[in-house]
Amino acid sequence: MEPVLIVLIVLVVLALIALIRTIQVIPQGSAAIVERFGRYTRTLNAGLNIVVPFVDTVRNRIDLREQVVPFPPQPVITQDNLVVNIDTVIYYQVTDARAATYEVASFIQAIEQLTVTTLRNIIGSMDLESTLTSREVINAGLRGVLDEATGRWGIRVNRVELKAIEPPTSIQDSMEKQMRAERDKRAAVLTAEGARQAAILRAEGEKQAAVLSAEGEAQAAVLRADGEAAAIRTVFEAIHEGDADQKLLAYQYLQTLPELAKGDANKLWIIPSEVGDALKGLGGAFGGLSGQGAGPGAAPKVGPDLTKQPVADGSVPRPVGSANGPRPLDTDDSGATRPRVNPTREYPQIDPE
């Protein structure tokens, strides 16, 4: 019984192994290559697949999803003989599992080497500045060459990216100094423009302030002149409305004479020649009011003789009047002489009518 049991166990195990080898489950996004006695037979797609056990062999399982492969930095010489290190990243996808298995031994290594050689050809025709600023051009050139070469391998290159471009350390220092100088230049230009705009605005503000101040002063002068004119007009109209006669005007004239001697700098007071006429008119007025103690031709005495009153410097002026002839020149304390006011000058009088 024991040998029979052993044989049964062996048969069950072989059946299980055959069943496992017969049923092949391929996950989604993958493919498998089946060989029969070492020769390609078919490609197993995603799902449940049946193969002949011990005859068909699943050689390779390939991922059909898009893959990302970063390549290490590669030294590349530019057109201006500068060595730069460039990191690249390849996005590819296997479209034909059979070609990717049998057309190339290792498609990853083949893509890497093809990328390096193509990158050196493209960068070798460009200078450093163009290399740093033309990444899209380099990516497009790499993708075109890789698509053409990897198409027969059953691989489609979807995208090629330059992850980093590192120039030599000395070139980096020079570039930093150049960029710093450019920034300093732009900062100086912006500062100068700001100062210029500030000066222009300040000058415009001062100009407008001066214009407004001048306009205000002009308007104030006009209003002041209008006020003075209105005051003079009011006084003139009041005098006419009050019907002032010659006697009142003479009295007002005499009241303004003491104002001429006011001031600490006055050392000589010149009495106008019209004082006599004013006194005569004033004396006639008082004579007419009293009418007593005087003859018809005698002029009454009105107070002290103002023409003999001392002036500010203590001297007594000479009598004034046309009967005394021309008056001599005035003299001051320094001995200098100056002509007197023309005694025949007539001051305007207001017609009481």
Side-chain angles (χ1 to χ4, degrees), residues 55-77:
V55 177
D56 295 338
T57 304
V58 178
R59 176 182 175 180
N60 192 13
R61 294 177 181 267
I62 298 177
D63 195 345
L64 300 180
R65 295 173 298 177
E66 185 175 6
Q67 304 293 321
V68 180
V69 180
F71 295 143
Q74 299 293 330
V76 181
I77 301 176

Side-chain angles (χ1 to χ4, degrees), residues 10-72:
V10 170
L11 291 176
V12 170
V13 171
L14 291 176
L16 291 175
I17 295 174
L19 181 63
I20 293 174
R21 295 178 64 92
T22 301
I23 300 174
Q24 296 290 331
V25 178
I26 307 300
Q28 183 67 35
S30 299
I33 301 299
V34 177
E35 294 180 349
R36 179 170 294 177
F37 300 111
R39 184 176 180 180
Y40 171 76
T41 303
R42 60 192 175 111
T43 301
L44 301 180
N45 295 321
L48 182 64
N49 296 274
I50 304 298
V51 296
V52 178
F54 306 107
V55 177
D56 295 338
T57 304
V58 178
R59 176 182 175 180
N60 192 13
R61 294 177 181 267
I62 298 177
D63 195 345
L64 300 180
R65 295 173 298 177
E66 185 175 6
Q67 304 293 321
V68 180
V69 180
F71 295 143

Side-chain angles (χ1 to χ4, degrees), residues 137-208:
V137 177
I138 298 174
N139 293 340
L142 281 173
R143 181 180 176 182
V145 174
L146 291 176
D147 278 340
E148 182 180 358
T150 59
R152 58 188 181 87
W153 297 341
I155 298 173
R156 182 177 70 248
V157 177
N158 298 326
R159 193 170 183 180
V160 181
E161 292 291 341
L162 300 182
K163 187 167 62 175
I165 300 177
E166 298 179 358
T169 306
S170 59
I171 300 300
Q172 291 182 8
D173 296 338
S174 300
M175 293 172 63
E176 290 179 359
K177 291 179 180 179
Q178 181 180 1
M179 294 302 298
R180 191 179 301 112
E182 290 291 336
R183 294 190 184 97
D184 294 341
K185 176 183 176 182
R186 288 197 296 267
V189 171
L190 292 177
T191 302
E193 288 291 337
R196 175 174 174 271
Q197 293 294 333
I200 291 174
L201 294 177
R202 192 181 303 110
E204 291 180 353
E206 293 176 356
K207 175 184 175 182
Q208 293 179 1

Side-chain angles (χ1 to χ4, degrees), residues 246-264:
Q246 186 68 24
K247 303 169 185 179
L248 178 60
L249 296 178
Y251 178 71
Q252 293 293 331
Y253 182 74
L254 291 177
Q255 282 187 337
T256 58
L257 288 178
E259 300 293 333
L260 300 176
K262 287 185 178 180
D264 298 336

Side-chain angles (χ1 to χ4, degrees), residues 233-246 248-249 350-353:
R233 191 180 303 108
T234 302
V235 172
F236 187 77
E237 292 176 355
I239 293 174
H240 279 275
E241 290 176 358
D243 195 12
D245 56 359
Q246 186 68 24
L248 178 60
L249 296 178
I350 299 175
D351 187 5
E353 295 298 327

